[in-house]
Amino acid sequence: MTLMKRNTKIVATFGPATAKPEMIRILLNAGVDVARLNFSHGTHRTHKILFTRLREAAANLCRPLTILQDLQGPKIRVGTLKNEPWSLKPGEVLEITSARNQNHPAHLPIPLENLPRLLTPHDHILLDDGNIELEVVSIRGESIQARVLLPGEVYSHKGVNLPGVSLPTGALTPKDLRDLKFGLELGVDAVAISFVRKAEDIEYIRELCQTLSPEHADIMLIAKLERPEALHNLEAIIQASDGVMVARGDLGIELSPQAVPIAQKQIIHTANLNLKIVITATQMLDSMTDSPRPKRAETSDVANAIFDGSDAVMLSAETASGKYPLEAVKMMHQIILQAEKHLDRWGHWKGIFPHTQSQDDIFYMSLAARELAHDRNVAAIAVFTMSGRTARYMSKIRPSVPILAFTPREKTYHRMNLFYGVIPHLVPEAQTIEEMLHVVENAMVTSAAIRTGQQIVLICGYPIQSSAPSNLALLHTIGGVR
């Protein structure tokens, strides 16, 4: 089935429910643009198998696929319980230790070094995405006594949040470092960095990528915004990264649920102004983990993320471990299509920038191409790019016509599938403008997207063989090359 035109990209997390080759093929056909590998779960062996299957499926379908490695980060988790689930009752007082394993039935292990010195009485401890809430009653040496405010069942390795507590953790844990090196060796297209607090976190990891794998020094780094500190340093973090993820799960616990919508709008708007990718994530169609149909509020949530200006929207447990992964992708696809029909009226991001926004020539070339496309009523904008930067800028400027991005570099080809409204093409390297135009026309004939006699705008660097940044915009009529 040929999908209807869709600009917003779909990120799907692949896991136990979607690891088989046939299911991967089905989901890519259903509309998945970006495959997320969640390194909070699984092993290097299982991720390598999944990565290989994803690449093979995309190649067999003759289409690009961005593969996103999501590092766990310094996430605090419950240790290993002897008997689970442990059912906590309202008002119950339990003892918290920094041990890795439960050594007493009334002790809750939270393996975080110096935990007693980080907390004070009346601090709150949230477990399992805030479904269970404890209040610190007292601290005696290495032992913490806490009362259950919000009861529930605790399982091993569930997440722990300490709202308002500044954690002495670095950008990467030892596990993250091993995982990052492994991901670079695999050849992932982008890396999502969890619990980013400041721009220096991103800069450190970029330098690390250069050291670990110089050929992947330009890999896309996506900053996951999950802590209040990140919002205080938002502008600097966005400028240091290639994109951001609105990770609303932990963000909603660390802030408050009612503060998340405002933070989401702030993050998306700031990312767009800085020409950076933005992914909105977490619980977008959460009910479809166990149900074939979403809740009405969830469909509104996805649509509003698109109206806010998201480049991509993400599925997590819905596709990684849920019962209805295919239905979730299809539903996401349909919601996007419906929302995009009404972007002119309800969309907040129109690709309009302050005049002082950038001193980059590529930015102004992209603006000029959009205006030329609108003035001449052209059918598409064709971009020739080596790094993908021109395609990203063109994407953020939001022209009203398709963006066809041509590159001879395979990693750029896959990377650009994350960009809003961009249709990547892998082509031989052109030596002249005439060769570029032949490539464009062949692509048009193959896809039957544009007819002879229609016009396109071509953007490229000139001279061609110099790999110069984009500095040329050309109005071309299809069928005019002999």
Side-chain angles (χ1 to χ4, degrees):
M1 180 183 74
T2 301
L3 290 171
M4 294 174 63
K5 178 71 175 69
R6 170 168 55 78
N7 292 313
T8 307
K9 302 303 177 80
I10 296 175
V11 182
T13 306
F14 283 77
T18 47
K20 293 184 178 179
E22 180 60 17
M23 179 55 75
I24 290 172
R25 185 191 65 80
I26 289 171
L27 291 186
L28 296 191
N29 265 335
V32 171
D33 303 290
V34 181
R36 173 178 175 252
L37 303 181
N38 184 0
F39 275 69
S40 294
H41 306 284
T43 65
H44 284 188
R45 178 180 174 275
T46 58
H47 283 302
K48 184 174 183 178
I49 291 170
L50 192 47
F51 177 91
T52 302
R53 289 175 178 175
L54 287 162
R55 278 284 184 251
E56 289 176 350
N60 290 337
L61 293 170
C62 299
R63 53 162 297 178
L65 177 69
T66 308
I67 298 182
L68 171 68
Q69 177 187 31
D70 196 332
L71 299 178
Q72 177 177 299
K75 176 78 172 179
I76 310 169
R77 294 185 180 275
V78 172
T80 302
L81 304 179
K82 282 186 177 179
N83 299 300
E84 55 183 354
W86 178 6
S87 183
L88 299 181
K89 306 294 190 297
E92 177 182 354
V93 176
L94 53 93
E95 184 171 327
I96 297 172
T97 71
S98 55
R100 292 193 171 276
N101 301 300
Q102 189 179 50
N103 51 29
H104 187 282
H107 291 181
L108 179 68
I110 299 179
L112 178 64
E113 189 177 358
N114 294 321
L115 181 61
R117 282 164 285 286
L118 295 174
L119 296 172
T120 58
H122 306 297
D123 281 343
H124 287 214
I125 300 171
L126 304 180
L127 310 177
D128 190 17
D129 290 336
N131 291 318
I132 299 171
E133 184 172 3
L134 314 175
E135 182 182 17
V136 176
V137 176
S138 64
I139 300 170
R140 300 169 189 164
E142 297 299 311
S143 175
I144 302 163
Q145 286 69 46
R147 180 180 292 107
V148 178
L149 299 182
L150 187 62
E153 294 186 335
V154 183
Y155 289 83
S156 299
H157 314 306
K158 283 294 185 179
V160 177
N161 289 86
L162 307 174
V165 176
S166 181
L167 300 176
T169 53
L172 290 184
T173 65
K175 176 187 183 315
D176 293 329
L177 183 56
R178 294 191 299 271
D179 290 344
L180 176 62
K181 183 178 179 182
F182 175 73
L184 294 175
E185 290 170 353
L186 272 183
V188 297
D189 303 299
V191 179
I193 313 300
S194 295
F195 300 105
V196 171
R197 294 179 296 174
K198 54 188 184 297
E200 288 78 7
D201 293 341
I202 298 295
E203 292 164 357
Y204 165 70
I205 294 169
R206 200 175 294 282
E207 291 174 3
L208 196 56
C209 290
Q210 169 74 48
T211 302
L212 292 173
S213 181
E215 65 272 25
H216 295 104
D218 64 341
I219 193 166
M220 291 194 299
L221 297 182
I222 307 297
K224 294 177 66 176
L225 305 179
E226 301 164 279
R227 286 183 171 164
E229 302 102 298
L231 296 182
H232 299 150
N233 301 313
L234 183 60
E235 186 84 26
I237 289 172
I238 287 175
Q239 289 177 1
S241 64
D242 298 290
V244 293
M245 183 186 293
V246 190
R248 304 176 304 173
D250 281 283
L251 189 61
I253 298 169
E254 296 284 346
L255 291 172
S256 64
Q258 62 269 28
V260 171
I262 307 305
Q264 174 175 317
K265 290 180 183 295
Q266 179 190 4
I267 293 166
I268 293 173
H269 182 69
T270 307
N272 282 329
L273 281 178
N274 283 277
L275 301 158
K276 301 299 175 72
I277 302 156
V278 55
I279 303 168
T280 301
T282 317
Q283 299 178 332
M284 301 216 77
L285 295 177
D286 192 50
S287 65
M288 293 193 74
T289 304
D290 298 302
S291 170
R293 294 190 64 79
K295 293 179 179 177
R296 303 304 184 266
E298 292 171 334
T299 62
S300 293
D301 179 42
V302 175
N304 279 313
I306 295 162
F307 292 146
D308 283 345
S310 300
D311 296 291
V313 285
M314 193 174 98
L315 297 165
S316 299
E318 301 96 325
T319 51
S321 57
K323 297 177 182 177
Y324 303 96
L326 177 58
E327 289 80 359
V329 172
K330 286 182 174 180
M331 178 56 64
M332 187 75 89
H333 174 68
Q334 292 299 328
I335 296 169
I336 294 171
L337 287 177
Q338 190 65 26
E340 289 183 349
K341 288 181 182 178
H342 302 279
L343 276 176
D344 284 347
R345 183 173 185 184
W346 302 115
H348 300 303
W349 178 248
K350 308 290 187 182
I352 299 172
F353 297 82
H355 291 300
T356 58
Q357 176 62 34
S358 173
Q359 299 302 315
D360 193 329
D361 288 346
I362 296 177
F363 171 73
Y364 288 103
M365 286 302 303
S366 301
L367 280 179
R370 182 186 66 179
E371 295 310 308
L372 182 58
H374 291 181
D375 289 346
R376 296 291 298 176
N377 193 29
V378 305
I381 295 173
V383 175
F384 275 81
T385 179
M386 300 298 274
S387 68
R389 185 156 62 111
T390 305
R392 173 163 60 87
Y393 283 18
M394 201 73 249
S395 166
K396 303 309 293 188
I397 286 168
R398 298 292 198 263
S400 60
V401 297
I403 304 165
L404 309 177
F406 298 87
T407 184
R409 293 184 177 175
E410 187 172 359
K411 68 177 183 179
T412 302
Y413 168 67
H414 290 297
R415 175 187 300 171
M416 293 190 298
N417 212 42
L418 176 55
F419 302 168
Y420 177 99
V422 171
I423 304 168
H425 293 266
L426 185 63
V427 297
E429 189 165 355
Q431 303 299 316
T432 66
I433 290 179
E434 289 74 15
E435 286 184 19
M436 285 187 176
L437 293 173
H438 274 294
V439 167
V440 172
E441 295 209 355
N442 288 336
M444 300 303 138
V445 170
T446 302
S447 65
I450 298 176
R451 302 182 303 276
T452 299
Q454 289 186 301
Q455 289 187 315
I456 63 164
V457 175
L458 171 70
I459 306 177
C460 64
Y462 185 84
I464 305 302
Q465 293 176 309
S466 68
S467 297
S470 296
N471 58 7
L472 174 67
L474 176 69
L475 188 64
H476 174 69
T477 301
I478 298 296
V481 176
R482 297 185 180 277

